[in-house]
Amino acid sequence: MSDSENTKGHGESVPEDPDHSAQDSTGTERSEGGEGLTVDDILDTPQSQDAQAGDTQAADAASSQDDAAPAGESAAQKLADERLEDLRRLQAEFVNFKNRTAREKDQLRDFVSGEMITALLPVLDDVDAARKAGDLEDGPFAAIATKLEDALGKKGLTRIGEVGEVFDPTVHEAVLQQPTDEVEPDHVSMVLRSGFRVGARVVRAAQVAVATKP
């Protein structure tokens, strides 16, 4: 082989690979057409649209959680207020029911006592007549009559009709008018038959004479 051929074979330079990355003196690789990326270059690189959208969604989710807590507390407080109002209404209804029941109980007791005493009114009339005639001034029958009247008095029995009372058509039954100077006009001048009241209930009106001017 000739020297020229050897020279050609060993002297020709081998072309560089265009796809091979070059290295600088510090050994840092560089890209095809530019200088190597540094940490600052990476940090300064703007985010893509997808990354920005992800950050926005995360911020919105955190804000929604912060807003949900006060809303939940407000709903719970509203429910508690409604339950408290229901309890107060129920308590008021119970108090009204208790008062109404007690009032109806008293009315029922007065009614039963009134019915019992109404059945005994003829006996009481006989006692009054005997007392006015002087037959019950002393003796066992006088004691029995007194005990009967005391027992009925403990059940709420009171007499209606006394001389000198103002005439009241709700408790008095005017039988006649009596001209007299002893009693003021429109007052009871005579009791013909006693009336009776049990509690607030009038079981029998008193028969009376009403005074007028002579």
Side-chain angles (χ1 to χ4, degrees):
M1 181 180 295
S2 62
D3 295 336
S4 59
E5 292 176 353
N6 292 334
T7 303
K8 183 178 180 180
H10 297 283
E12 291 180 355
S13 60
V14 180
E16 295 181 355
D17 187 354
D19 296 332
H20 191 286
S21 296
Q23 294 184 351
D24 55 15
S25 60
T26 61
T28 304
E29 294 185 355
R30 292 180 297 177
S31 61
E32 297 178 1
E35 298 178 352
L37 294 177
T38 64
V39 176
D40 293 336
D41 294 336
I42 295 174
L43 295 177
D44 294 337
T45 302
Q47 289 181 325
S48 64
Q49 294 182 354
D50 292 340
Q52 292 179 355
D55 291 344
T56 302
Q57 292 177 356
D60 293 342
S63 177
S64 299
Q65 291 178 355
D66 293 339
D67 295 339
E73 293 177 359
S74 177
Q77 183 63 36
K78 182 179 179 180
L79 181 61
D81 293 340
E82 291 177 354
R83 294 295 181 266
L84 180 60
E85 185 64 24
D86 292 340
L87 289 176
R88 289 175 177 172
R89 188 181 302 108
L90 182 61
Q91 183 181 16
E93 292 177 356
F94 176 76
V95 172
N96 292 335
F97 171 77
K98 183 178 179 181
N99 294 336
R100 184 172 62 255
T101 302
R103 184 168 58 252
E104 292 176 352
K105 183 179 179 181
D106 294 338
Q107 293 175 351
L108 179 61
R109 183 178 60 251
D110 292 344
F111 176 80
V112 173
S113 299
E115 291 298 315
M116 180 186 66
I117 293 173
T118 300
L120 294 175
L121 290 182
V123 178
L124 295 177
D125 290 339
D126 291 342
V127 170
D128 287 342
R131 184 176 288 113
K132 289 178 180 178
D135 297 336
L136 291 179
E137 295 180 357
D138 196 4
F141 289 105
I144 294 173
T146 301
K147 289 181 180 179
L148 175 63
E149 291 174 337
D150 292 342
L152 294 177
K154 292 179 181 179
K155 296 297 181 181
L157 177 68
T158 56
R159 287 180 178 271
I160 300 174
E162 295 289 341
V163 175
E165 291 180 347
V166 177
F167 175 75
D168 184 357
T170 61
V171 297
H172 298 143
E173 180 184 354
V175 177
L176 55 89
Q177 292 182 335
Q178 183 182 19
T180 180
D181 292 332
E182 297 179 357
V183 181
E184 296 181 6
D186 296 329
H187 285 63
V188 176
S189 61
M190 182 187 304
V191 178
L192 305 177
R193 188 182 70 176
S194 296
F196 295 95
R197 177 192 288 117
V198 177
R201 178 189 175 193
V202 177
V203 295
R204 191 178 74 180
Q207 291 182 350
V208 299
V210 180
T212 61
K213 293 182 178 180

mmCIF file of all heavy atoms in Angstrom, residues 176-204:
data_model
loop_
_atom_site.group_PDB
_atom_site.id
_atom_site.type_symbol
_atom_site.label_atom_id
_atom_site.label_comp_id
_atom_site.label_asym_id
_atom_site.label_seq_id
_atom_site.Cartn_x
_atom_site.Cartn_y
_atom_site.Cartn_z
ATOM 1 N N LEU A 176 -142.495 38.342 96.777
ATOM 2 C CA LEU A 176 -143.429 39.455 97.008
ATOM 3 C C LEU A 176 -142.653 40.706 97.365
ATOM 4 O O LEU A 176 -141.452 40.639 97.664
ATOM 5 C CB LEU A 176 -144.442 39.108 98.108
ATOM 6 C CG LEU A 176 -143.873 38.660 99.470
ATOM 7 C CD1 LEU A 176 -143.619 39.849 100.384
ATOM 8 C CD2 LEU A 176 -144.839 37.693 100.141
ATOM 9 N N GLN A 177 -143.334 41.834 97.331
ATOM 10 C CA GLN A 177 -142.788 43.118 97.742
ATOM 11 C C GLN A 177 -143.442 43.524 99.063
ATOM 12 O O GLN A 177 -144.655 43.374 99.232
ATOM 13 C CB GLN A 177 -143.028 44.188 96.685
ATOM 14 C CG GLN A 177 -142.240 43.963 95.397
ATOM 15 C CD GLN A 177 -142.468 45.071 94.387
ATOM 16 O OE1 GLN A 177 -143.509 45.750 94.420
ATOM 17 N NE2 GLN A 177 -141.519 45.249 93.493
ATOM 18 N N GLN A 178 -142.639 44.028 99.963
ATOM 19 C CA GLN A 178 -143.126 44.353 101.307
ATOM 20 C C GLN A 178 -142.780 45.807 101.635
ATOM 21 O O GLN A 178 -141.623 46.152 101.834
ATOM 22 C CB GLN A 178 -142.494 43.415 102.332
ATOM 23 C CG GLN A 178 -142.994 43.636 103.744
ATOM 24 C CD GLN A 178 -142.305 42.712 104.734
ATOM 25 O OE1 GLN A 178 -141.243 42.166 104.449
ATOM 26 N NE2 GLN A 178 -142.935 42.549 105.899
ATOM 27 N N PRO A 179 -143.797 46.682 101.698
ATOM 28 C CA PRO A 179 -143.531 48.061 102.111
ATOM 29 C C PRO A 179 -143.114 48.093 103.581
ATOM 30 O O PRO A 179 -143.814 47.569 104.446
ATOM 31 C CB PRO A 179 -144.880 48.771 101.912
ATOM 32 C CG PRO A 179 -145.622 47.896 100.964
ATOM 33 C CD PRO A 179 -145.199 46.503 101.279
ATOM 34 N N THR A 180 -141.974 48.666 103.859
ATOM 35 C CA THR A 180 -141.462 48.703 105.220
ATOM 36 C C THR A 180 -140.442 49.817 105.361
ATOM 37 O O THR A 180 -139.781 50.221 104.387
ATOM 38 C CB THR A 180 -140.825 47.353 105.605
ATOM 39 O OG1 THR A 180 -140.331 47.443 106.951
ATOM 40 C CG2 THR A 180 -139.715 46.993 104.669
ATOM 41 N N ASP A 181 -140.323 50.313 106.619
ATOM 42 C CA ASP A 181 -139.291 51.297 106.946
ATOM 43 C C ASP A 181 -138.096 50.651 107.632
ATOM 44 O O ASP A 181 -137.086 51.332 107.854
ATOM 45 C CB ASP A 181 -139.872 52.379 107.868
ATOM 46 C CG ASP A 181 -140.911 53.244 107.151
ATOM 47 O OD1 ASP A 181 -140.803 53.380 105.905
ATOM 48 O OD2 ASP A 181 -141.824 53.746 107.824
ATOM 49 N N GLU A 182 -138.210 49.391 107.983
ATOM 50 C CA GLU A 182 -137.143 48.719 108.722
ATOM 51 C C GLU A 182 -135.963 48.329 107.823
ATOM 52 O O GLU A 182 -134.845 48.173 108.311
ATOM 53 C CB GLU A 182 -137.720 47.471 109.406
ATOM 54 C CG GLU A 182 -138.795 47.781 110.442
ATOM 55 C CD GLU A 182 -139.342 46.515 111.067
ATOM 56 O OE1 GLU A 182 -138.920 45.410 110.649
ATOM 57 O OE2 GLU A 182 -140.196 46.623 111.966
ATOM 58 N N VAL A 183 -136.221 48.154 106.544
ATOM 59 C CA VAL A 183 -135.175 47.760 105.596
ATOM 60 C C VAL A 183 -135.188 48.727 104.421
ATOM 61 O O VAL A 183 -136.264 49.214 104.010
ATOM 62 C CB VAL A 183 -135.402 46.307 105.094
ATOM 63 C CG1 VAL A 183 -134.302 45.901 104.130
ATOM 64 C CG2 VAL A 183 -135.475 45.360 106.264
ATOM 65 N N GLU A 184 -134.032 49.028 103.909
ATOM 66 C CA GLU A 184 -133.940 49.933 102.766
ATOM 67 C C GLU A 184 -134.610 49.313 101.544
ATOM 68 O O GLU A 184 -134.672 48.084 101.405
ATOM 69 C CB GLU A 184 -132.470 50.230 102.454
ATOM 70 C CG GLU A 184 -131.751 50.979 103.559
ATOM 71 C CD GLU A 184 -130.303 51.264 103.182
ATOM 72 O OE1 GLU A 184 -129.939 50.965 102.015
ATOM 73 O OE2 GLU A 184 -129.559 51.775 104.025
ATOM 74 N N PRO A 185 -135.136 50.136 100.668
ATOM 75 C CA PRO A 185 -135.766 49.605 99.461
ATOM 76 C C PRO A 185 -134.775 48.771 98.630
ATOM 77 O O PRO A 185 -133.564 49.020 98.629
ATOM 78 C CB PRO A 185 -136.204 50.874 98.708
ATOM 79 C CG PRO A 185 -136.340 51.911 99.771
ATOM 80 C CD PRO A 185 -135.267 51.607 100.787
ATOM 81 N N ASP A 186 -135.346 47.807 97.964
ATOM 82 C CA ASP A 186 -134.568 46.886 97.116
ATOM 83 C C ASP A 186 -133.605 46.029 97.933
ATOM 84 O O ASP A 186 -132.589 45.562 97.386
ATOM 85 C CB ASP A 186 -133.793 47.649 96.036
ATOM 86 C CG ASP A 186 -134.718 48.357 95.060
ATOM 87 O OD1 ASP A 186 -135.839 47.849 94.825
ATOM 88 O OD2 ASP A 186 -134.325 49.421 94.542
ATOM 89 N N HIS A 187 -133.919 45.829 99.186
ATOM 90 C CA HIS A 187 -133.172 44.907 100.041
ATOM 91 C C HIS A 187 -134.125 43.801 100.517
ATOM 92 O O HIS A 187 -135.350 43.951 100.463
ATOM 93 C CB HIS A 187 -132.574 45.634 101.252
ATOM 94 C CG HIS A 187 -131.373 46.472 100.913
ATOM 95 N ND1 HIS A 187 -131.435 47.556 100.060
ATOM 96 C CD2 HIS A 187 -130.079 46.380 101.312
ATOM 97 C CE1 HIS A 187 -130.233 48.108 99.948
ATOM 98 N NE2 HIS A 187 -129.387 47.405 100.709
ATOM 99 N N VAL A 188 -133.536 42.707 100.940
ATOM 100 C CA VAL A 188 -134.334 41.574 101.413
ATOM 101 C C VAL A 188 -134.952 41.936 102.756
ATOM 102 O O VAL A 188 -134.245 42.273 103.719
ATOM 103 C CB VAL A 188 -133.464 40.307 101.545
ATOM 104 C CG1 VAL A 188 -134.283 39.157 102.136
ATOM 105 C CG2 VAL A 188 -132.898 39.924 100.184
ATOM 106 N N SER A 189 -136.280 41.872 102.828
ATOM 107 C CA SER A 189 -136.984 42.180 104.075
ATOM 108 C C SER A 189 -137.450 40.924 104.799
ATOM 109 O O SER A 189 -137.716 40.955 105.994
ATOM 110 C CB SER A 189 -138.200 43.071 103.800
ATOM 111 O OG SER A 189 -139.114 42.407 102.935
ATOM 112 N N MET A 190 -137.524 39.808 104.083
ATOM 113 C CA MET A 190 -137.960 38.552 104.703
ATOM 114 C C MET A 190 -137.446 37.390 103.846
ATOM 115 O O MET A 190 -137.470 37.463 102.617
ATOM 116 C CB MET A 190 -139.484 38.496 104.800
ATOM 117 C CG MET A 190 -140.032 37.258 105.477
ATOM 118 S SD MET A 190 -141.862 37.192 105.374
ATOM 119 C CE MET A 190 -142.304 38.766 106.126
ATOM 120 N N VAL A 191 -137.000 36.323 104.544
ATOM 121 C CA VAL A 191 -136.547 35.108 103.856
ATOM 122 C C VAL A 191 -137.624 34.056 104.046
ATOM 123 O O VAL A 191 -137.887 33.611 105.172
ATOM 124 C CB VAL A 191 -135.188 34.609 104.409
ATOM 125 C CG1 VAL A 191 -134.782 33.322 103.701
ATOM 126 C CG2 VAL A 191 -134.121 35.677 104.242
ATOM 127 N N LEU A 192 -138.258 33.671 102.957
ATOM 128 C CA LEU A 192 -139.320 32.678 103.018
ATOM 129 C C LEU A 192 -138.757 31.253 102.944
ATOM 130 O O LEU A 192 -139.311 30.339 103.562
ATOM 131 C CB LEU A 192 -140.318 32.909 101.889
ATOM 132 C CG LEU A 192 -140.930 34.321 101.837
ATOM 133 C CD1 LEU A 192 -141.855 34.456 100.643
ATOM 134 C CD2 LEU A 192 -141.662 34.636 103.133
ATOM 135 N N ARG A 193 -137.693 31.095 102.186
ATOM 136 C CA ARG A 193 -137.027 29.800 102.101
ATOM 137 C C ARG A 193 -135.561 30.031 101.769
ATOM 138 O O ARG A 193 -135.251 30.773 100.823
ATOM 139 C CB ARG A 193 -137.677 28.914 101.031
ATOM 140 C CG ARG A 193 -137.160 27.479 101.026
ATOM 141 C CD ARG A 193 -137.803 26.660 99.920
ATOM 142 N NE ARG A 193 -137.321 27.105 98.609
ATOM 143 C CZ ARG A 193 -137.670 26.498 97.460
ATOM 144 N NH1 ARG A 193 -138.526 25.490 97.488
ATOM 145 N NH2 ARG A 193 -137.202 26.946 96.329
ATOM 146 N N SER A 194 -134.704 29.427 102.559
ATOM 147 C CA SER A 194 -133.268 29.635 102.367
ATOM 148 C C SER A 194 -132.801 29.037 101.033
ATOM 149 O O SER A 194 -133.322 28.008 100.570
ATOM 150 C CB SER A 194 -132.480 29.007 103.508
ATOM 151 O OG SER A 194 -132.771 29.637 104.729
ATOM 152 N N GLY A 195 -131.820 29.690 100.437
ATOM 153 C CA GLY A 195 -131.158 29.153 99.260
ATOM 154 C C GLY A 195 -129.816 28.571 99.657
ATOM 155 O O GLY A 195 -129.319 28.782 100.776
ATOM 156 N N PHE A 196 -129.229 27.847 98.745
ATOM 157 C CA PHE A 196 -127.946 27.197 99.045
ATOM 158 C C PHE A 196 -126.999 27.313 97.846
ATOM 159 O O PHE A 196 -127.439 27.298 96.692
ATOM 160 C CB PHE A 196 -128.158 25.721 99.406
ATOM 161 C CG PHE A 196 -128.940 25.508 100.660
ATOM 162 C CD1 PHE A 196 -130.316 25.300 100.623
ATOM 163 C CD2 PHE A 196 -128.311 25.529 101.894
ATOM 164 C CE1 PHE A 196 -131.036 25.106 101.782
ATOM 165 C CE2 PHE A 196 -129.034 25.339 103.059
ATOM 166 C CZ PHE A 196 -130.393 25.122 103.001
ATOM 167 N N ARG A 197 -125.750 27.426 98.183
ATOM 168 C CA ARG A 197 -124.676 27.490 97.192
ATOM 169 C C ARG A 197 -123.617 26.461 97.572
ATOM 170 O O ARG A 197 -123.258 26.349 98.745
ATOM 171 C CB ARG A 197 -124.069 28.888 97.124
ATOM 172 C CG ARG A 197 -122.907 28.994 96.162
ATOM 173 C CD ARG A 197 -122.154 30.288 96.317
ATOM 174 N NE ARG A 197 -122.896 31.442 95.812
ATOM 175 C CZ ARG A 197 -123.299 32.456 96.555
ATOM 176 N NH1 ARG A 197 -123.054 32.451 97.870
ATOM 177 N NH2 ARG A 197 -123.942 33.475 96.029
ATOM 178 N N VAL A 198 -123.105 25.743 96.578
ATOM 179 C CA VAL A 198 -121.985 24.814 96.776
ATOM 180 C C VAL A 198 -120.815 25.344 95.954
ATOM 181 O O VAL A 198 -120.833 25.299 94.726
ATOM 182 C CB VAL A 198 -122.336 23.380 96.360
ATOM 183 C CG1 VAL A 198 -121.123 22.472 96.524
ATOM 184 C CG2 VAL A 198 -123.503 22.859 97.171
ATOM 185 N N GLY A 199 -119.809 25.868 96.662
ATOM 186 C CA GLY A 199 -118.718 26.509 95.939
ATOM 187 C C GLY A 199 -119.240 27.756 95.261
ATOM 188 O O GLY A 199 -119.806 28.651 95.889
ATOM 189 N N ALA A 200 -119.059 27.827 93.942
ATOM 190 C CA ALA A 200 -119.576 28.957 93.185
ATOM 191 C C ALA A 200 -120.909 28.643 92.524
ATOM 192 O O ALA A 200 -121.481 29.508 91.852
ATOM 193 C CB ALA A 200 -118.559 29.362 92.115
ATOM 194 N N ARG A 201 -121.410 27.432 92.701
ATOM 195 C CA ARG A 201 -122.644 27.000 92.040
ATOM 196 C C ARG A 201 -123.838 27.204 92.959
ATOM 197 O O ARG A 201 -123.834 26.743 94.108
ATOM 198 C CB ARG A 201 -122.538 25.531 91.643
ATOM 199 C CG ARG A 201 -123.800 24.976 90.981
ATOM 200 C CD ARG A 201 -123.700 23.478 90.831
ATOM 201 N NE ARG A 201 -124.934 22.917 90.300
ATOM 202 C CZ ARG A 201 -125.232 21.630 90.296
ATOM 203 N NH1 ARG A 201 -124.355 20.751 90.811
ATOM 204 N NH2 ARG A 201 -126.360 21.197 89.797
ATOM 205 N N VAL A 202 -124.835 27.877 92.456
ATOM 206 C CA VAL A 202 -126.081 28.069 93.202
ATOM 207 C C VAL A 202 -126.980 26.872 92.920
ATOM 208 O O VAL A 202 -127.419 26.661 91.783
ATOM 209 C CB VAL A 202 -126.785 29.374 92.789
ATOM 210 C CG1 VAL A 202 -128.110 29.519 93.513
ATOM 211 C CG2 VAL A 202 -125.890 30.572 93.067
ATOM 212 N N VAL A 203 -127.228 26.077 93.956
ATOM 213 C CA VAL A 203 -128.071 24.889 93.770
ATOM 214 C C VAL A 203 -129.543 25.216 93.976
ATOM 215 O O VAL A 203 -130.419 24.506 93.478
ATOM 216 C CB VAL A 203 -127.633 23.754 94.720
ATOM 217 C CG1 VAL A 203 -126.228 23.285 94.362
ATOM 218 C CG2 VAL A 203 -127.708 24.189 96.168
ATOM 219 N N ARG A 204 -129.810 26.308 94.696
ATOM 220 C CA ARG A 204 -131.189 26.750 94.855
ATOM 221 C C ARG A 204 -131.197 28.207 95.282
ATOM 222 O O ARG A 204 -130.498 28.601 96.210
ATOM 223 C CB ARG A 204 -131.942 25.910 95.883
ATOM 224 C CG ARG A 204 -133.453 26.166 95.883
ATOM 225 C CD ARG A 204 -134.172 25.279 96.888
ATOM 226 N NE ARG A 204 -133.955 25.712 98.264
ATOM 227 C CZ ARG A 204 -134.477 25.086 99.328
ATOM 228 N NH1 ARG A 204 -135.224 24.000 99.150
ATOM 229 N NH2 ARG A 204 -134.261 25.538 100.555
#
